[in-house]
Amino acid sequence: MEKQLVRLFSREEIAAAVKRLAREIDRDSENRSPVVIGILKGSFIFIADLVRNLETPPLAIEFTRLSSYGSATVSSGRAEILAGLPEEAVRDRNVLVVEDIVDTGITTATLLEYLQSYRPSDLKLCTLLDKPSRRRVEVKIDYRGFTVPDRFIVGYGIDFDERYRQLPEIYTIEE
Ligand code: IMP
Ligand code: MG
């Protein structure tokens, strides 16, 4: 049967959430510029909008990539870091990790543990979407755009098999 997209968040709702998150990040950063680390690929649109709403200019904008989860990742509880970052980019820095969606938590927990080993002075996590119903490992989310139901989400950078990333709004896929 043809899949149907059902809109979950409009452009206006997304823009308001991004603004609010940027304000929260600004308030906490106390003029100490953060190193912003986006997790590819799903966060690319979110991060572009988020950094343009920050008043505190980022010290650097970096990207990293982890293996997308398959059954192997879920059973091991670990993701593989495909693109690491140099230790100098992280040590003694205020680091802000930006993710599109925290689902099982495995991707962000793996990355945060890796970054923590480089001893940043501060390490925070910002996610546009939080899907808590499927959490496998605990992750502390410092900045959260929306909590979403246990549905497959697409749009605003988030894909289903590489499709739908370009959509400006956020949808669930329904049968
Ligand atoms: P986690 O490791 O299970 O927390 O999953 C993180 C990654 O899975 C996210 O960065 C997304 O790329 C992907 N993901 C999780 N839920 C969805 C969804 O509903 N739609 C599209 N991708 C998703
Ligand atoms: Mg992702």
Side-chain angles (χ1 to χ4, degrees):
M1 216 165 83
E2 189 56 29
K3 295 219 185 332
Q4 223 187 311
L5 299 189
V6 177
R7 193 173 76 179
L8 192 57
F9 303 114
S10 68
R11 289 174 194 247
E12 292 73 21
E13 288 170 309
I14 296 167
V18 172
K19 265 206 181 107
R20 170 179 56 80
L21 292 170
R23 274 202 307 272
E24 292 174 14
I25 293 162
D26 277 326
R27 186 198 58 210
D28 291 350
S29 65
E30 294 168 336
N31 299 317
R32 272 203 67 195
S33 288
V35 171
V36 178
I37 301 178
I39 304 180
L40 291 173
K41 295 186 254 184
S43 73
F44 82 109
I45 292 180
F46 175 44
I47 200 168
D49 282 345
L50 185 70
V51 296
R52 286 182 291 177
N53 277 275
L54 288 177
E55 278 183 11
T56 315
L59 198 62
I61 300 173
E62 306 280 355
F63 290 95
T64 185
R65 199 163 172 205
L66 288 92
S67 55
S68 55
Y69 61 82
S71 47
T73 308
V74 173
S75 55
S76 69
R78 309 283 303 175
E80 192 190 344
I81 299 169
L82 303 176
L85 293 158
E87 187 164 346
E88 314 84 75
V90 174
R91 183 176 293 272
D92 297 327
R93 306 287 197 212
N94 259 3
V95 173
L96 177 71
V97 171
V98 180
E99 176 62 309
D100 53 352
I101 173 162
V102 177
D103 183 15
T104 63
I106 291 171
T107 303
T108 38
T110 302
L111 181 65
L112 291 172
E113 190 186 303
Y114 161 79
L115 294 174
Q116 197 69 64
S117 74
Y118 287 167
R119 293 199 258 126
S121 60
D122 189 40
L123 181 59
K124 288 207 160 79
L125 172 63
C126 173
T127 186
L128 180 64
L129 306 178
D130 178 16
K131 199 194 278 182
S133 48
R134 290 184 12 112
R135 201 60 39 85
R136 282 277 318 275
V137 291
E138 201 185 313
V139 219
K140 180 172 174 276
I141 297 173
D142 300 285
Y143 309 101
R144 172 190 292 102
F146 302 100
T147 299
V148 296
D150 188 7
R151 287 272 191 291
F152 203 86
I153 312 281
V154 294
Y156 196 68
I158 303 167
D159 73 308
F160 171 65
D161 217 4
E162 294 302 323
R163 289 177 68 199
Y164 310 119
R165 289 192 198 276
Q166 79 289 351
L167 298 176
E169 306 188 302
I170 293 175
Y171 298 85
T172 62
I173 295 189
E174 308 289 342
E175 294 290 319

